[in-house]
Amino acid sequence: MINVSKLKKGLVIDHIAAGSGYRIFRQLKLDELNDVVILMRNVPSRKMGKKDVIKIENHINLDLEVLGLIDPHATINVIENGNRAKKIALVLPKRVEGILKCKNPRCITQYEKVEAPVFYLANEEEKTYRCSYCDSPTQFEGGE
Amino acid sequence: MIGRHLIEPRDCSVEELEGIFQLAEKIIEAPETYAEACKGKLLATLFYEPSTRTRFSFEAAMLRLGGSIIGFDDPNASSAAKGETLSDTIRTICAYADAIVMRHPREGSAKLAAESSDKPLINAGDGGHQHPTQTLTDLLTIRQEKGRLENLTIGVCGDLKFGRTIHSLIRAMDRYAGIRFVFISPDELQLPSYVKDEITYASYEETKNLEAVMGELDILYMSRVQRERFVSEEEYLRLKDIYVLDAEKMKKAKPDAMILHPLPRVNEISVEVDQDPRAKYFEQAHYGMIVRMALLMKVLGVKEND
């Protein structure tokens, strides 16, 4: 087992569904940070069997919308002086702006430039969002 | 409603709709009173795809109110052909006109256009998405001809899968008390579940047999099976004439039943039915112009001389 030392100050994104860690890493553009960042995959977990964990050695502003969208069950721990100072639970955002793209080929957003298209949560279980322009459902895949 | 956009039917509350319908009723009673209601006002009609019926209805409405119109019905003749964005076109038109009516083939275009418009913008159809003034037309026709919008059994027949006017009508009528829908369609063209899921107050049942339910209906709303919605021509040909309303079927209808159709029709209502006093689809077209007159007056905020 690889050991990663405890953080003194920073953020731990915990309980990420195994396999989603890399996606979150990319979507949050953690590769562009100058801080120490660790992505751990397939960490044994009592609750989840296997999980992914991301540790960031700094307090940065995370895009909670993106995180909630990719894995609403993940948790964020804010670490101060080696202890957990705060725990942030994620939820699937009701409204997302500039993250999703409409897949309806007849939607106006395919033809005209819309800077930050807005989507509204339509079905929580299926993670379906509706385009605020054409109302077409779009599922978040977040792979790109 | 001064300065408001109308993108989808539910942009208006039930109370606001009632205000439009009451004004429409006054226009029907004394149209001459309103002959100069919009004098000095200019309406721009931007038709990015042709629709003679809807454009004429809006233009006739504005002209009958004493207003003026500018516009196009061929996008190749507009600045869109030069590559101008929709929002730039709208901003420019806002510098000239007092209100805008727009029809566009892309879904969601009306909402995008409204974001750039500081003048009231009325959606006259954005692709297969919304066509709110058709819904206002349907509601006014029902209200005038039946005397109420509550406690009605409404049969909706034909292409329930793709018919956007039908989806809008269902959503709009669901807000009134005592509504029962009877959805009549073949399996292939059933009402999508996302529309059914939105039905909150009304009750509904589904059937394939028009004749069997004819006698229960206060209103029968017929619709065309649209060729352009089918990938397979064979499937279209098989389904297009699946329901044909004729004099024989009309015998089973209630004496005070009402037949509606958004027009244009193809074969789904036989011409012999036109003579039946219960056929109201041509009156419906007249109500369409009247309701647009009332709507234009409301969004332009002109005096309604009581």
Side-chain angles (χ1 to χ4, degrees):
Chain A
M1 172 100 188
I2 307 163
N3 275 316
V4 176
S5 60
K6 266 181 89 174
L7 268 184
K8 283 217 169 61
K9 181 188 172 197
L11 300 169
V12 178
I13 309 172
D14 203 353
H15 304 111
I16 302 169
S20 291
Y22 184 52
R23 206 143 54 122
I24 290 176
F25 193 92
R26 277 191 309 175
Q27 284 279 332
L28 294 179
K29 299 193 169 77
L30 298 182
D31 55 326
E32 291 172 15
L33 289 179
N34 284 322
D35 307 293
V36 177
V37 183
I38 296 160
L39 164 64
M40 293 186 280
R41 302 184 64 198
N42 304 319
V43 180
S45 158
R46 245 183 308 147
K47 261 201 302 190
M48 304 169 67
K50 270 197 259 177
K51 65 177 181 181
D52 291 358
V53 180
I54 295 172
K55 293 190 177 191
I56 306 159
E57 202 181 42
N58 195 1
H59 290 168
I60 60 158
N61 279 328
L62 289 177
D63 189 334
L64 298 181
E65 267 188 13
V66 171
L67 260 176
L69 206 54
I70 302 177
D71 191 348
H73 304 297
T75 51
I76 303 167
N77 296 314
V78 182
I79 310 294
E80 292 274 13
N81 303 319
N83 294 313
R84 186 167 78 193
K86 207 167 116 191
K87 187 173 175 173
I88 304 167
L90 290 169
V91 285
L92 210 53
K94 296 266 182 262
R95 178 184 181 278
V96 292
E97 196 176 328
I99 299 166
L100 297 175
K101 207 175 168 304
C102 189
K103 295 194 178 79
N104 173 10
R106 298 174 303 277
C107 179
I108 188 69
T109 57
Q110 313 279 0
Y111 300 86
E112 298 266 335
K113 205 172 165 211
V114 177
E115 286 299 336
V118 173
F119 285 75
Y120 293 99
L121 184 61
N123 186 316
E124 210 154 325
E125 274 164 36
E126 293 167 7
K127 273 200 195 182
T128 318
Y129 283 82
R130 275 191 190 286
C131 170
S132 67
Y133 292 97
C134 74
D135 290 314
S136 290
T138 289
Q139 251 159 342
F140 179 70
E141 285 150 12
E144 57 265 56
Chain B
M1 292 188 68
I2 303 173
R4 283 255 299 273
H5 305 307
L6 180 63
I7 308 304
E8 61 150 313
R10 283 177 297 184
D11 288 344
C12 294
S13 68
V14 171
E15 292 73 27
E16 285 166 341
L17 288 180
E18 188 51 32
I20 295 172
F21 299 149
Q22 280 174 10
L23 177 57
E25 204 169 337
K26 287 196 268 177
I27 297 172
I28 294 166
E29 282 163 12
E32 64 285 352
T33 320
Y34 300 92
E36 296 201 330
C38 286
K39 196 176 172 190
K41 299 283 183 187
L42 187 57
L43 175 70
T45 57
L46 316 183
F47 278 67
Y48 287 89
E49 68 176 2
S51 168
T52 318
R53 192 181 315 270
T54 307
R55 186 169 63 90
F56 279 7
S57 181
F58 270 109
E59 295 186 353
M62 192 59 177
L63 293 171
R64 281 181 181 275
L65 292 169
S68 310
I69 46 172
I70 51 169
F72 61 82
D73 61 358
D74 175 8
N76 296 322
S78 81
S79 47
K82 295 179 194 153
E84 186 177 50
T85 64
L86 183 57
S87 62
D88 280 2
T89 304
I90 298 295
R91 276 197 192 100
T92 311
I93 300 290
C94 280
Y96 312 142
D98 300 297
I100 297 173
V101 168
M102 185 181 93
R103 188 183 191 104
H104 195 287
R106 305 290 170 215
E107 296 172 15
S109 52
K111 183 166 185 282
L112 184 67
E115 287 173 359
S116 307
S117 179
D118 57 9
K119 299 287 167 61
L121 185 140
I122 299 168
N123 180 9
D126 57 342
H129 186 222
Q130 299 280 356
H131 189 8
T133 55
Q134 178 65 50
T135 309
L136 295 190
T137 301
D138 297 340
L139 264 56
L140 178 66
T141 310
I142 295 171
R143 187 183 179 276
Q144 293 306 111
E145 295 290 331
K146 298 301 287 186
R148 65 182 193 275
L149 285 161
E150 298 84 19
N151 303 316
L152 293 163
T153 297
I154 307 172
V156 192
C157 178
D159 176 5
L160 309 190
K161 187 177 178 188
F162 299 111
R164 78 177 160 190
T165 57
I166 284 176
H167 299 171
S168 293
L169 178 73
I170 293 166
R171 289 186 187 114
M173 288 307 296
D174 183 43
R175 303 199 292 186
Y176 295 94
I179 298 297
R180 178 176 159 243
F181 291 113
V182 182
F183 300 133
I184 308 145
S185 72
D187 288 339
E188 297 86 342
L189 296 174
Q190 269 185 5
L191 195 69
S193 55
Y194 68 86
V195 182
K196 274 187 254 178
D197 290 347
E198 283 182 43
I199 299 175
T200 314
Y201 303 106
S203 60
Y204 68 86
E205 61 191 83
E206 296 179 278
T207 178
K208 284 177 224 164
N209 190 337
L210 173 61
E211 272 181 283
V213 296
M214 258 329 262
E216 302 169 26
L217 308 176
D218 297 309
I219 295 162
L220 173 60
Y221 197 99
M222 294 294 293
S223 70
R224 176 170 62 102
V225 175
Q226 297 177 72
R227 171 178 256 137
E228 56 270 31
R229 304 286 184 206
F230 286 86
V231 180
S232 138
E233 179 75 5
E234 208 174 297
E235 176 105 326
Y236 166 71
L237 292 173
R238 190 168 60 81
L239 294 170
K240 77 181 174 75
D241 293 330
I242 193 153
Y243 298 108
V244 177
L245 184 66
D246 53 20
E248 199 53 38
K249 289 198 187 81
M250 284 304 290
K251 283 183 190 158
K252 298 203 166 99
K254 282 186 180 179
D256 64 343
M258 179 167 89
I259 311 301
L260 296 179
H261 190 299
L263 303 177
R265 73 168 150 192
V266 188
N267 292 323
E268 59 279 4
I269 301 180
S270 147
V271 182
E272 63 195 20
V273 179
D274 298 357
Q275 309 307 319
D276 194 305
R278 293 169 292 183
K280 298 291 183 193
Y281 29 91
F282 291 111
E283 279 92 333
Q284 202 176 347
H286 177 67
Y287 287 125
M289 181 190 70
I290 300 286
V291 87
R292 288 177 177 104
M293 290 169 76
L295 176 66
L296 286 169
M297 285 180 65
K298 290 280 184 191
V299 298
L300 287 168
V302 299
K303 208 166 156 269
E304 291 179 28
N305 23 303
D306 291 298

